[in-house]
Amino acid sequence: MSKTNVAVFVSGSGTNLQAVIDSGIESANIAVVVCDTPGVMAIERAKKHGIPVELVNSRDFRSREEFERQIVAKIDGYDIGLVVLAGFMRIFTPYFIGCFRDRIINIHPSLLPSFPGTNSVRQALDYGVKQTGCTVHFVSEEVDAGPVILQAVVPVTGEDTEETLLEKVHAQEYRILPEAIRLFCEGKLTLSGRKVLISS
Ligand code: GAR
């Protein structure tokens, strides 16, 4: 089976990156990990598995677009077919999105369009919803608003704290993010307006 070269973008602990690595998706080659924050655990995880890491520190750039141009230059040689945002805490400008149009996916810890932005698990708990979850979606110019690929539901109980709920949401993320990557790399996702059709 031919493999799609995947770039995984991270900013923190990288547990989703670990889940993607551990899934061993046959149709995907994790060609490079891009990180915007020095010293985070995600870098160690990539190195442990022999995956090249490109560290591009956003603080070294005067504008978001300059930062993104540096990332694009760094990953230019990897022949990337899919960009996966796995806990990457930066918002892209139209420049970067245009470079990888319909080839960027993101994992978000809520059932979008509910609770976009940051601290989504806390937001869900504070709102009092009875169900939350996570979403894998294509990235478009609007933040957390691109076409939905997969979602998973997590029930919220009266006993849940932010910590317990986060753990349950994470468990679902580790399942649906690798699954979405597999579907993309096997050519099973088709965009139709804002809908994503999944073929079997
Ligand atoms: C994940 O829960 C992911 O959904 C979230 O960051 C976490 C990263 O954890 N992403 C966002 O909130 C994006 N808006 P990880 O570094 O351990 O994979």
Side-chain angles (χ1 to χ4, degrees), residues 12-17 86-89 106-109 117 144 170 173:
S13 63
T15 60
N16 275 281
L17 166 67
F88 189 69
M89 297 307 187
N106 178 49
I107 178 83
H108 183 82
D144 295 333
H170 272 158
E173 290 186 339

Side-chain angles (χ1 to χ4, degrees), residues 28-146:
N29 168 45
I30 307 170
V32 62
V33 165
V34 173
C35 183
D36 67 338
T37 311
V40 294
M41 185 67 189
I43 296 174
E44 298 314 312
R45 293 181 194 274
K47 285 188 175 162
K48 194 172 160 209
H49 291 273
I51 302 166
V53 176
E54 299 290 356
L55 179 63
V56 184
N57 191 340
S58 53
R59 292 181 182 203
D60 294 342
F61 300 88
R62 276 173 306 179
S63 71
R64 280 159 68 204
E65 196 173 315
E66 274 182 48
F67 165 64
E68 293 169 9
R69 284 189 186 278
Q70 179 68 5
I71 292 176
V72 170
K74 290 266 191 185
I75 64 176
D76 187 43
Y78 292 98
D79 188 24
I80 295 303
L82 174 67
V83 170
V84 175
L85 309 183
F88 189 69
M89 297 307 187
R90 302 269 149 208
I91 292 166
F92 285 119
T93 70
Y95 160 72
F96 186 85
I97 291 166
C99 291
F100 293 94
R101 171 76 52 205
D102 300 337
R103 291 187 293 140
I104 311 172
I105 67 173
N106 178 49
I107 178 83
H108 183 82
S110 74
L111 292 174
L112 290 172
S114 291
F115 313 122
T118 54
N119 300 318
S120 303
V121 172
R122 174 86 254 159
Q123 287 187 58
L125 204 54
D126 289 349
Y127 195 92
V129 292
K130 303 297 186 205
Q131 295 188 324
T132 185
C134 50
T135 302
V136 184
H137 63 94
F138 281 108
V139 173
S140 62
E141 277 81 359
E142 298 76 35
V143 178
D144 295 333

